Amino acid sequence: AMGIPHLYATTDTDAYYASGYMQAVDRLFEMDLTRRRALGRRAEVLGAGAYDDDVRIRTFDLPHWADLSRRQMLVEHPDEYLLIVAWCAGVNARIAEIRAGTAPTPYGFGPADLDYLPEPFTPLDAQAVGTMILFGNAEQISYDGLATVLHRFLPELETILPILAPIEPAHTIPPDERLP
C-alpha cells in the first residue's frame, strides 16, 4: 500500500533475482548512470560535461580492479557469485521487457529525456559499482592526503597530473577547523 516491494522467495538465488528485478523497476535510470560512472562511460549519454569524470575513472582503471575482484570471488566464493548472477538476471529481465516494449520506458531513457535504452547488466558491472563505492569510501582519505601533500610540496605536478585534485569535494572536519 505504501509502494514498498515485499519479496518472498524459497531460495537466496530467487530472492536476489527478485531484488534485481524490483530494483530495476524502481531505479533503472539511476542504476544505469551509476554503472556508467563506475565504467567511465557517462559521457556517452550525458555529453562532454561528464568527460573529465570518465577520464578519472579510466585513469584509475576501476573496471580492471573490479574484474580482478570478480574473478577472485568466482573462485573463492562461487555460491555468493551466483547470487550476483541471479541479481543481474533479474535486472536483465526488466530491461528485456523495456526493450521489447512490454514495459514502459522508465524516466531518463525516453525520447523526451536522454533517448537511449539500457544495456544488460553483467556481474562485472555489479562488481564495478561496488568497487567504485569502496574506492570512494575506503580510499578517499588516503587519496586526499596524498593529493594535499603533493599540492603543498610539489605543486608543479598538478599541470602534469590533473587527477591529483580530489575526485569529489569531501570534508571530514567542520569548516572552521580546516586549514587554509
Side-chain angles (χ1 to χ4, degrees):
M2 296 177 68
I4 300 170
H6 291 68
L7 307 174
Y8 302 93
T10 55
T11 67
D12 288 347
T13 303
D14 290 345
Y16 273 77
Y17 178 94
S19 175
Y21 181 86
M22 288 310 302
Q23 189 174 357
V25 167
D26 288 341
R27 306 177 75 98
L28 188 56
F29 184 60
E30 177 187 8
M31 292 165 63
D32 188 65
L33 288 181
T34 302
R35 168 183 51 180
R36 286 176 174 282
R37 182 166 191 219
L39 299 175
R41 295 184 52 206
R42 287 191 321 156
E44 292 175 12
V45 296
L46 297 179
Y51 176 80
D52 289 343
D53 192 49
D54 284 355
V55 169
R56 283 186 196 100
I57 293 296
R58 290 178 182 211
T59 299
F60 286 111
D61 201 4
L62 289 186
H64 167 74
W65 300 110
D67 191 44
L68 290 178
S69 295
R70 183 193 65 80
R71 289 173 189 239
Q72 185 174 359
M73 184 180 196
L74 182 58
V75 171
E76 294 180 10
H77 304 284
D79 293 340
E80 286 86 356
Y81 183 82
L82 291 177
L83 297 177
I84 294 174
V85 171
W87 180 86
C88 289
V91 172
N92 291 337
R94 183 58 177 186
I95 290 172
E97 292 172 353
I98 293 164
R99 287 181 155 291
T102 58
T105 302
Y107 165 83
F109 294 108
D113 301 307
L114 294 177
D115 199 21
Y116 76 100
L117 291 175
E119 301 166 357
F121 270 66
T122 69
L124 176 60
D125 296 336
Q127 194 73 40
V129 168
T131 300
M132 178 185 70
I133 291 168
L134 286 174
F135 180 79
N137 290 340
E139 294 297 322
Q140 190 66 45
I141 291 173
S142 299
Y143 179 81
D144 285 349
L146 173 62
T148 300
V149 168
L150 292 173
H151 173 73
R152 286 189 180 166
F153 297 105
L154 296 169
E156 63 274 8
L157 284 180
E158 289 182 5
T159 59
I160 300 169
L161 299 171
I163 63 169
L164 293 179
I167 292 176
E168 293 180 7
H171 300 285
T172 56
I173 59 174
D176 60 335
E177 296 180 27
R178 296 180 198 147
L179 296 174

